[in-house]
Every structure is written in structure tokens, then in C-alpha cells.
Amino acid sequence: MRARLAMTKNPPDVTRQFYYEDVPGYMTEVYDWAYVDPRNARLLDRNLVVRILLFFNDQRMMRAYLEQIEPGMKVWQVAHVYGDLVSRVAAKVGSAGRFDLTDVTPVQIEHANHKLASFPQAQVIRSDAAMHRGDCRYDLICSFFLLHEVPDSEKRAIVDNMLDQVPEEGTAFFVDYHGPAAWQPIGWLLRWVNRWLEPFAEALWKHDIREYAARADDFVWTKRTIFGGVYQLVTVKRKK
Ligand SMILES: C[S@@+](CC[C@H](N)C(=O)[O-])C[C@H]1O[C@@H](n2cnc3c(N)ncnc32)[C@H](O)[C@@H]1O
């Protein structure tokens, strides 16, 4: 009887433990509900969720990323994104290209593996974006809404690690939040959301992404903002 009770009690805990193993503290403390807890992640991983979170600007920003990809390119995306973005990237690099996708949480790795199973050019790697070292020269390295979710020290480490791996002709591309213009009413809504859910986001309202780079002057930075300053798209190329 005892053994049977133990058997029925243990599996859910053990399974749950699997999803929390080696996940950074800021993820379990702040983003458990979104990217760590497997039940929630399953519910949220949809295009519609991304569309609503980004106030219908999702396709515009994804296009800006996808338009930079040509067949045969080697692309590293530093973190998973809900919905079909990762499979669109894998399809765009094509069978002659390569798509490396990293993420830190087991459930996001699971989702990515599922979405990318039919693309042999794609590999999903469980790694912190601040630590991953590619074994090839990437043509494009993209952070799509990762920086606002990590503490400032992690922002610095991620930006530096990405830039370290940008070759001479390569590009780093950051898509993220930015300080809204005074007239943009969404700014007030986001201020409220940030207080409750996104404690690391407003740093990007006050600081340019280039301020997080140790060797910013070795690169050419081009920033464009959209939706009344709510979002920024930053292209970074190595100076010749
Ligand atoms: C790209 S961001 C948010 C994107 C957007 N909100 C969406 O629709 O998914 C979320 C991902 O970043 C991952 N993540 C957080 N910290 C990370 C890190 N240091 N390295 C790699 N991935 C990280 C999370 O596990 C999560 O899958």
C-alpha cells in the first residue's frame, strides 16, 4: 500500500522537477507562469498570443527579421518564441542553410523540438544565450524579445556573446521594447504591465541596446523604432 501511494504521488513531482532543473533564478521567480510551467507554456504557445502581446505588430517585426534571411544562411536565434516564428526561420534558411535555436527552459526546448522536427537544417540547443558558442560562422544572430526579460547583467552578457560571434559580413539583429513616445497611450498600459510582470523591461526604455555592449564602438548600430516608439529594431554590423 505504501509503495503504491509513493508510486502515485511521485511521478507528477518528478516530471515537474524535470522542467525546473538548471533554469536561471529570474526565470522561475518572474517568468514561471510563461516559460517554465509546462501546463501554462502549452496554453500560451500560439500565434494569437504573440499577436495580442505585441498589439498586432508581430508580423511586421517578424517580417523585418525574416527578410534578412536568404536560403543557405546560417542563423542563430538566441531564444524560442511562441507560435510559428521558429519554423518560418528554418524554412527560410532552407536545406542548404542552418538554423540554431537556443533556449534555457526544458519546456521551450520541447516545444521547439516539436516544431522543428521536420527541418534537418535546424538544431535546438539547451543553452543560455550568454554562453552558447556556435561551431560555425553565423550570418545572422537574432534576439527576438529576449533582452527585456533578463536582468541587466544578463543583458550585457547576452549582447556581448552575440556580438563576439558576428563575423565581418554578418549581422546581429535585436527586436525588443523601447521607450514609448509621450503621446503613445500604450505606454501607460505597458508601465502598468511592467510593474506587475516585466521588472527588467523598462531598462530598455532608458538605455540603448548599444550601452550594454562592452565593445560597442567596434560596430555600426542602426536603430529604427515603430508603433510610437514602443518597439525597436536594431541592426548591428562589425566596422570594416
Ligand atoms: C524570446 S523571449 C519572449 C518572446 C515572446 N514574448 C514570445 O512570444 O514568446 C522568451 C524565451 O526566452 C527564453 N530565455 C530566457 N532567458 C534566456 C537566456 N538567458 N538564454 C536563452 N533563452 C532564454 C525563455 O525560456 C523563453 O522561451
Side-chain angles (χ1 to χ4, degrees):
M1 183 61 169
R2 233 172 161 190
R4 248 182 61 209
L5 277 179
M7 286 283 286
T8 49
K9 191 164 178 273
N10 279 341
D13 291 345
V14 170
T15 311
R16 202 169 160 75
Q17 205 178 320
F18 164 80
Y19 288 105
Y20 286 78
E21 225 154 77
D22 299 323
V23 172
Y26 64 86
M27 290 300 292
T28 51
E29 283 151 27
V30 181
Y31 289 108
D32 178 44
W33 63 275
Y35 307 119
V36 188
D37 184 308
R39 276 167 312 178
N40 291 1
R42 248 167 246 140
L43 287 173
L44 292 168
D45 191 351
R46 297 157 209 279
N47 287 334
L48 183 64
V49 170
V50 186
R51 191 146 303 164
I52 291 167
L53 286 176
L54 299 179
F55 300 101
F56 295 87
N57 290 281
D58 55 317
Q59 292 307 309
R60 189 177 175 191
M61 293 190 277
M62 286 178 188
R63 262 198 314 275
Y65 170 26
L66 292 165
E67 276 166 6
Q68 297 183 50
I69 302 173
E70 284 165 25
M73 273 189 168
K74 297 186 176 76
V75 176
W76 169 29
Q77 185 178 310
V78 301
H80 178 254
V81 172
Y82 293 150
D84 65 2
L85 178 66
V86 295
S87 32
R88 288 163 75 188
V89 175
K92 194 101 198 261
V93 300
S95 54
R98 172 161 164 181
F99 177 44
D100 288 359
L101 174 68
T102 48
D103 203 283
V104 281
T105 72
V107 72
Q108 298 292 68
I109 290 292
E110 236 173 56
H111 288 206
N113 272 324
H114 182 68
K115 293 175 196 176
L116 296 172
S118 59
F119 296 99
Q121 64 270 33
Q123 52 171 345
V124 181
I125 306 151
R126 180 152 184 227
S127 173
D128 191 312
M131 312 287 278
H132 170 72
R133 299 305 293 187
D135 59 6
C136 66
R137 283 159 64 94
Y138 293 116
D139 301 297
L140 177 63
I141 303 176
C142 179
S143 165
F144 196 89
F145 284 93
L146 172 61
L147 291 184
H148 76 280
E149 289 187 344
V150 302
D152 269 20
S153 55
E154 182 76 5
K155 285 185 183 62
R156 269 184 221 104
I158 291 172
V159 170
D160 281 343
N161 190 34
M162 288 172 65
L163 295 185
D164 278 353
Q165 296 181 68
V166 171
E168 221 167 71
E169 299 303 325
T171 305
F173 189 51
F174 297 89
V175 184
D176 225 305
Y177 288 99
H178 181 266
W183 57 263
Q184 171 54 286
I186 296 290
W188 292 101
L189 176 61
L190 287 173
R191 257 186 203 96
W192 185 81
V193 170
N194 291 342
R195 294 287 169 282
W196 290 97
L197 297 173
E198 306 259 36
F200 312 120
E202 264 173 52
L204 291 182
W205 294 25
K206 297 176 190 131
H207 301 285
D208 272 334
I209 292 173
R210 66 167 292 149
E211 293 176 51
Y212 292 98
R215 286 170 295 282
D217 291 342
D218 293 350
F219 297 86
V220 179
W221 297 75
T222 312
K223 179 173 100 177
R224 173 161 79 95
T225 63
I226 62 166
F227 198 50
V230 172
Y231 305 114
Q232 59 183 315
L233 295 88
V234 178
T235 304
V236 191
K237 286 187 177 281
R238 203 171 273 281
K239 275 184 187 161
K240 300 230 165 100

